[in-house]
Amino acid sequence: MDIFGQLLVNALMLGAIYALAAVAYTLVYGVIQLVNFAFGELFMLGAFICVSLMLPSVALFGWQAPMPALPFLVALPLAVVIVAGLGVVVERLAYRPLRNAPRLAPLIAAIAVSVLLQSVAQSIWGPEELRFPRFALGQLPPIVLFDTIYIRVMEIFVLVAAIASMIGLTLFVQYTRMGRAMRATAEDPTAARLVGIPVNRVIAMAFLIGSAFAALAGVLYAQTYSFAHPTMGFLPGLKALTAAVLGGIGSIPGAALGGMLLAFVETFAAGYLPNGAAWRDAVGFAILILVLAFRPQGILGRKELNEAPAGSLVGEQVAPRGLFAPVDRFFGWLGQGNTVLNIALACIAVALAFIITNDYWLRILVFVVTYGMLASGLNIVVGFTGLLDLGFVAFFAVGAYFTSILFVLVLRGRFGIDPADIWWLFYANLFLGGALAALIGALIGTPTLRLRGDYLAIMTLGFHEIIRIVATNWIDLTRGPMGIRGIPTPSLFGMPLMSPKYLYLLGLALSILVVFGIARLVRSYVGRAWVAIRENEVAAEAMGVPTARYKLLSYATGGFIGGLVGVFFAHSQQYISPLSFSLFENILILMLIVMGGLGTFIGPFLGALFWIVFLQVAQGMPLIQAHPELRYAALGLVLVLLMIYRPQGLAARARVSLMMSK
Amino acid sequence: MSVLLETRGLTVEFGGLFALKAVDLQVADGAIHGLIGPNGAGKSTMVNALTGLVPTSAGSMQLADRPLHGRPTWEIADAGIARTFQNIRNFAGMTVLENTLVGAHRHFRASFAALLRRSRAAREEEESQRARALEALHFVGLRGRDEQMATGLSYGHQRRLEIARALMLQPRLLLLDEPLAGMNAAEKDELADIIRAIRDRGITVLIIEHDMQIMRTLCDRLSVLHHGALLADGTPKEVFSNPLVQSAYLGQAA
């Protein structure tokens, strides 16, 4: 018997929670084909609101606010209702204006809303865990089976609540007017509208129910693990999405099945594999990638929902008009690809190293070029090829860990070689780290790049999580959460480039090389093939472009740059840890490009400059000093607004020519 | 005349519904071959099946004895079948010239390294394709518009751009899916002349079109699809005098 029985109970519990949250994803995806990444945050908000309602008082924005101290069975439905309403508000404000926009727009908006909600929650409830209060139902003595299995009454409650809501939803979708309207909208929104179905109300309903399910799952999760935390929704949200894809996105029984399956595999892997607890998440994501590679429609999925509609965020040329007119004229002038202008820009960037004497600001410039280069790499994938990549930071991590492990753990640690004697290896590693990242990208991408749009984004997310879990848990290789210290600074013929001034100049030189290289590829048949895929994949394929191969090429080229920048980053910071490579970094880089201008050369650097200077300026504001996370809330908000009003970003007019200059 | 394109028993099925039922089609080398039929007869499905955009459930197709069924779309294009789309699918965010050059994709050979170095071969290749593209734009009547954004073109010019882009493949067979839709009489005549000129360049044309007046004079041969099956086949004269075809068009049970 040993632990088997107990694992079974745990798996059922977790499976019920995953299944509930998976329903949220599946319902909304089924109706409007949007992966609403923000469900993870609605899950978290459900938990926080329920806990707050159950307490006599709670600290909000740092002030003790009186609370009603409701019993669990009252607080739970109340929290679910509040979050359901919030879900509808989010849909109305952030997604409905994007109903007819290219698919990438609502997807990016969803990510931005997710960042926004998480940051706001953190400033309301603070960065600390909020303990789940004790309540009568949770205090009942457990039922003991076979002397070894302990079942708490709450665990039975979770299971019953999950099963009841699933059955309720299935009946609702099958037999009510609204349910039929939902199925009709899922089948064909245009036809549904024509036969008089109020499509907007149906979509709002899907968000209402989905958010309620996410909130219910969040409360039950928080209750099971007895805490609420601003980031608690992230991983379960990802798992729920995995479960939805596993079961077949769009299918409600599929969500239930996928949730249970994922929970069982994870729980038993954690229970029986050596050091399983550390690897349980990796097992889940490995399954996700396998499913996407071999059966993207999932177990019960009816159809392969992977036909991405044509069109991109940057296709339409903007005319200088209104508020942005001066900005547009400026970037139209700046981005015309004039050689003299480009050289002048480079000279100004170099001169900054000598004008600015303050080390603090020079260090900030090092960040600007690092992020600018990273964003340029991701821009190949997102901006030029039009693929959403949420795993780009993994390449950055591969480059950084490759050079750090080689220099610190192998060469110095095992062979006692002084890094000063092999200073040139840093420069070779820029290339090797990039090549390694590109290779890994190609290996992982090969089976999945035939997928379109959203599925690819989910796959890259899974890839990112696996790399992060490896970096955190393979302690012999990466030193785990401690990170790797003492990475040598870059040097030139034995002269260490320690000062921020030299690091900036080195980063700048690399940036110029990177942009130059990207420009040469983009201004050729390769770039034209990428942009053709972005604008209309079917037409590109019909014109003889092997689209899968070119997507892979785009992915690998972006990965190369990610790896290269990782090597530079490791040596310029002298310290790396898994924290530098979180998914949040990836979202940030994505936001930088969108802000600066997708599919332009200057956009990534512009976005990086704006963001990093904003961070510095914001540090002086009292509000930000009290609530630093509001900076990210602002970023999320700006991004949603950009998606609605100006998806082309600031440098929209700096369109890149796709022709080789004569 | 030899046969360029041949299908045998080509069948397309959508969940039990037959969009194409065992179609045997032969297109002679060097012909302008028309594909007509009432709405929903399966004409566009035929073109999509021929270019691998719709999976076939049975049958075969070959281009000059090279079997192509089941091949991916890009490979079919690479083998020499170019096409335009019923709903225009030009690339937004690209200039007219850049659009046209995408059609030349299969002629480019330069490696990544050559592009990064911008080797002489890479430059020459780009230059010669650029010259070809300008020539193709001139040919379809878009001279001087190469720097314009494709989305800024008028509807009729967008259709011409699609043809120029398809010609860049140097195809053996060009599939035109309703290229004359939405045009006035003068524009239709101009485009018909362009289609004849394409044929005179040695490119076989398979065209779907509803305007029977034009098709009667433009096409060397016609095939009629009705409810997904091949109803008739022959010269325009033969086809239009066929009672089966007449009843199909008048909507009676054939």
Side-chain angles (χ1 to χ4, degrees):
Chain A
M1 250 347 260
D2 62 1
I3 55 171
F4 181 83
Q6 198 60 53
L7 288 179
L8 198 70
V9 174
N10 293 351
L12 271 174
M13 210 53 23
L14 194 59
I17 292 169
Y18 283 170
L20 284 174
V23 165
Y25 284 98
T26 233
L27 203 61
V28 164
Y29 194 92
V31 174
I32 53 167
Q33 280 80 54
L34 166 70
V35 177
N36 180 21
F37 286 103
F39 277 135
E41 274 57 48
L42 294 171
F43 174 100
M44 170 270 295
L45 286 173
F48 263 116
I49 292 173
C50 180
V51 171
S52 302
L53 290 174
M54 287 169 71
L55 290 169
S57 82
V58 82
L60 303 179
F61 295 110
W63 288 300
Q64 281 297 324
M67 280 288 157
L70 297 173
F72 175 72
L73 287 177
V74 181
L76 167 68
L78 211 53
V80 167
V81 168
I82 294 172
V83 173
L86 186 64
V88 174
V89 172
V90 165
E91 190 275 328
R92 181 72 193 78
L93 296 181
Y95 304 146
R96 194 180 297 180
L98 297 170
R99 196 62 49 77
N100 296 315
R103 188 102 146 244
L104 209 52
L107 213 53
I108 291 178
I111 294 170
V113 167
S114 177
V115 170
L116 178 66
L117 290 179
Q118 191 177 316
S119 314
V120 169
Q122 191 169 335
S123 60
I124 295 178
W125 284 284
E128 302 294 323
E129 277 183 15
L130 193 58
R131 280 201 64 77
F132 206 93
R134 289 161 182 272
F135 57 100
L137 210 54
Q139 298 301 310
L140 295 175
I143 301 160
V144 183
L145 287 181
F146 310 112
D147 293 336
T148 50
I149 308 170
Y150 287 74
I151 304 176
R152 289 165 50 217
V153 175
M154 266 317 289
E155 292 175 329
I156 297 173
F157 177 84
V158 170
L159 210 56
V160 171
I163 293 172
S165 349
M166 291 285 188
I167 292 175
L169 181 64
T170 309
L171 293 177
F172 173 80
V173 171
Q174 276 315 323
Y175 296 111
T176 63
R177 240 174 102 81
M178 194 50 159
R180 272 199 301 276
M182 266 172 145
R183 279 182 291 145
T185 309
E187 211 56 58
D188 186 341
T190 320
R193 185 170 282 126
L194 287 177
V195 297
I197 291 173
V199 169
N200 276 334
R201 211 185 305 158
V202 169
I203 293 171
M205 189 54 137
F207 271 88
L208 184 88
I209 299 174
S211 307
F213 269 74
L216 176 62
V219 174
L220 297 179
Y221 186 87
Q223 172 299 122
T224 307
Y225 297 97
S226 12
F227 75 93
H229 187 265
T231 58
M232 68 178 278
F234 171 68
L235 213 50
L238 219 54
K239 295 291 181 53
L241 179 58
T242 302
V245 172
L246 195 63
I249 203 155
S251 151
I252 294 170
L257 185 67
M260 279 296 167
L261 207 62
L262 186 66
F264 269 81
V265 171
E266 272 188 20
T267 309
F268 282 91
Y272 286 114
L273 289 182
N275 197 14
W279 295 102
R280 58 181 297 161
D281 295 333
V283 172
F285 293 120
I287 290 176
L288 173 71
I289 291 184
L290 287 177
V291 168
L292 284 175
F294 296 108
R295 198 179 157 81
Q297 73 271 41
I299 301 167
L300 298 182
R302 233 163 7 115
K303 47 189 172 180
E304 266 186 79
L305 291 169
N306 63 358
E307 165 86 23
S312 77
L313 293 178
V314 270
E316 295 304 318
Q317 197 64 1
V318 291
R321 187 156 51 84
L323 205 62
F324 281 102
V327 181
D328 283 339
R329 267 192 289 275
F330 175 69
F331 286 111
W333 170 76
L334 201 64
Q336 59 195 325
N338 185 325
T339 317
V340 178
L341 209 59
N342 291 345
I343 292 173
L345 267 179
C347 287
I348 294 172
V350 172
L352 280 180
F354 301 96
I355 298 168
I356 298 174
T357 48
N358 179 337
D359 269 5
Y360 177 79
W361 278 98
L362 280 166
R363 217 164 271 136
I364 286 164
L365 282 182
V366 175
F367 271 104
V368 172
V369 289
T370 307
Y371 277 93
M373 277 192 282
L374 266 183
S376 298
L378 183 58
N379 194 26
I380 297 177
V381 183
V382 184
F384 287 107
T385 323
L387 308 168
L388 184 55
D389 184 354
L390 297 172
F392 184 72
V393 164
F395 297 125
F396 183 47
V398 166
Y401 271 102
F402 161 72
T403 197
S404 308
I405 291 168
L406 187 66
F407 265 99
V408 178
L409 302 186
V410 177
L411 292 178
R412 189 195 292 154
R414 187 145 307 166
F415 298 103
I417 297 170
D418 181 4
D421 296 338
I422 43 165
W423 61 270
W424 48 266
L425 189 60
F426 161 73
Y427 299 94
N429 273 0
L430 287 172
F431 181 81
L432 293 175
L436 182 67
L439 184 74
I440 291 179
L443 281 179
I444 297 208
T446 305
T448 39
L449 272 165
R450 66 191 170 90
L451 301 174
R452 291 172 205 214
D454 317 348
Y455 278 91
L456 188 68
I458 298 170
M459 191 281 292
T460 56
L461 242 165
F463 167 52
H464 171 269
E465 280 306 298
I466 289 180
I467 294 277
R468 189 186 60 79
I469 292 163
V470 168
T472 315
N473 291 312
W474 192 348
I475 295 180
D476 292 339
L477 184 72
T478 65
R479 292 197 181 163
M482 277 167 45
I484 300 178
R485 272 172 211 292
I487 304 160
T489 41
S491 62
L492 205 55
F493 300 104
M495 181 188 86
L497 306 174
M498 187 96 82
S499 76
K501 178 173 164 182
Y502 290 121
L503 283 177
Y504 168 63
L505 283 172
L506 179 63
L508 193 62
L510 284 176
S511 302
I512 291 171
L513 268 176
V514 161
V515 174
F516 192 71
I518 295 175
R520 288 211 149 169
L521 292 179
V522 165
R523 291 192 169 141
S524 77
Y525 72 97
V526 175
R528 291 191 291 267
W530 284 340
V531 176
I533 291 170
R534 179 187 83 192
E535 294 299 338
N536 197 319
E537 193 169 339
V538 169
E541 180 96 8
M543 288 305 118
V545 177
T547 53
R549 194 184 301 166
Y550 275 81
K551 285 197 269 185
L552 196 61
L553 212 55
S554 158
Y555 201 56
T557 310
F560 181 89
I561 294 169
L564 180 151
V565 183
V567 173
F568 172 71
F569 174 80
H571 287 272
S572 68
Q573 297 301 306
Q574 297 169 271
Y575 167 70
I576 58 167
S577 81
L579 285 179
S580 315
F581 310 105
S582 66
L583 181 69
F584 186 78
E585 286 293 304
N586 201 83
I587 293 172
L588 177 64
I589 296 165
L590 180 68
M591 293 188 179
L592 298 186
I593 319 173
V594 174
M595 208 153 65
L598 281 165
T600 64
F601 293 143
I602 196 161
F605 289 92
L606 200 66
L609 186 69
F610 264 78
W611 171 244
I612 289 168
V613 170
F614 165 73
L615 283 187
Q616 297 312 315
V617 174
Q619 265 180 0
M621 301 177 189
L623 179 68
I624 297 296
Q625 278 166 351
H627 296 282
E629 61 287 337
L630 283 180
R631 293 172 302 181
Y632 297 99
L635 184 65
L637 187 65
V638 166
L639 207 71
V640 173
L641 292 176
L642 275 176
M643 276 301 117
I644 297 173
Y645 296 107
R646 181 143 169 131
Q648 302 92 343
L650 277 172
R653 293 286 289 179
R655 194 194 93 88
V656 169
S657 162
L658 304 172
M659 306 284 302
M660 212 178 270
S661 46
K662 280 188 200 171
Chain B
M1 241 191 247
S2 63
V3 173
L4 178 67
L5 174 81
E6 181 168 24
T7 71
R8 288 227 181 111
L10 205 65
T11 302
V12 171
E13 199 188 330
F14 295 122
L17 214 73
F18 286 91
L20 286 181
K21 275 180 283 199
V23 175
D24 296 327
L25 181 73
Q26 291 194 332
V27 177
D29 200 2
I32 296 180
H33 193 118
L35 193 58
I36 61 172
N39 280 328
K43 305 183 297 291
S44 280
T45 305
M46 184 76 188
V47 170
N48 286 338
L50 288 176
T51 48
L53 290 177
V54 163
T56 54
S57 44
S60 67
M61 69 172 270
Q62 49 189 37
L63 184 76
D65 295 328
R66 178 175 168 186
L68 284 177
H69 56 272
R71 305 312 306 167
T73 299
W74 71 269
E75 209 177 303
I76 292 172
D78 194 52
I81 302 184
R83 67 167 292 172
T84 65
F85 292 88
Q86 187 179 353
N87 48 342
I88 300 175
R89 285 177 183 251
N90 285 318
F91 304 118
M94 281 176 145
T95 66
V96 168
L97 183 59
E98 288 162 4
N99 258 278
T100 316
L101 276 166
V102 174
H105 185 85
R106 73 191 188 105
H107 304 302
F108 284 94
R109 294 281 172 272
S111 65
F112 256 44
L115 290 176
L116 288 171
R117 281 202 336 268
R118 191 155 286 181
S119 72
R120 173 197 273 274
R123 272 179 290 140
E124 281 173 359
E125 182 178 77
E126 174 95 356
E127 202 37 61
S128 75
Q129 293 305 329
R130 188 204 303 250
R132 276 191 63 222
L134 289 172
E135 192 276 329
L137 287 172
H138 186 188
F139 175 75
V140 299
L142 291 178
R143 190 182 194 176
R145 297 188 182 272
D146 48 301
E147 296 289 331
Q148 220 173 312
M149 295 304 288
T151 38
L153 290 181
S154 71
Y155 175 80
H157 283 167
Q158 295 213 23
R159 289 226 171 263
R160 288 169 186 232
L161 172 57
E162 260 204 321
I163 295 175
R165 185 179 69 179
L167 287 175
M168 290 301 286
L169 281 132
Q170 280 184 319
R172 303 204 52 190
L173 175 68
L174 176 62
L175 310 179
L176 300 173
D177 195 350
E178 299 198 21
L180 308 180
M183 296 195 177
N184 65 33
E187 288 173 326
K188 281 184 181 178
D189 285 339
E190 273 179 47
L191 213 52
D193 285 338
I194 291 176
I195 292 168
R196 287 191 190 92
I198 291 171
R199 190 258 322 266
D200 294 342
R201 290 181 162 201
I203 297 169
T204 306
V205 176
L206 180 66
I207 175 174
I208 296 179
E209 185 48 55
H210 281 294
D211 187 327
M212 291 309 145
Q213 218 111 47
I214 296 259
M215 291 295 264
R216 195 187 294 270
T217 54
L218 180 64
C219 298
D220 303 311
R221 285 190 83 80
L222 283 177
S223 296
V224 187
L225 277 178
H226 187 45
H227 292 316
L230 199 62
L231 188 69
D233 201 36
T235 64
K237 207 170 173 184
E238 290 166 4
V239 164
F240 286 122
S241 57
N242 186 330
L244 281 175
V245 176
Q246 288 171 352
S247 66
Y249 265 92
L250 292 175
Q252 292 152 12

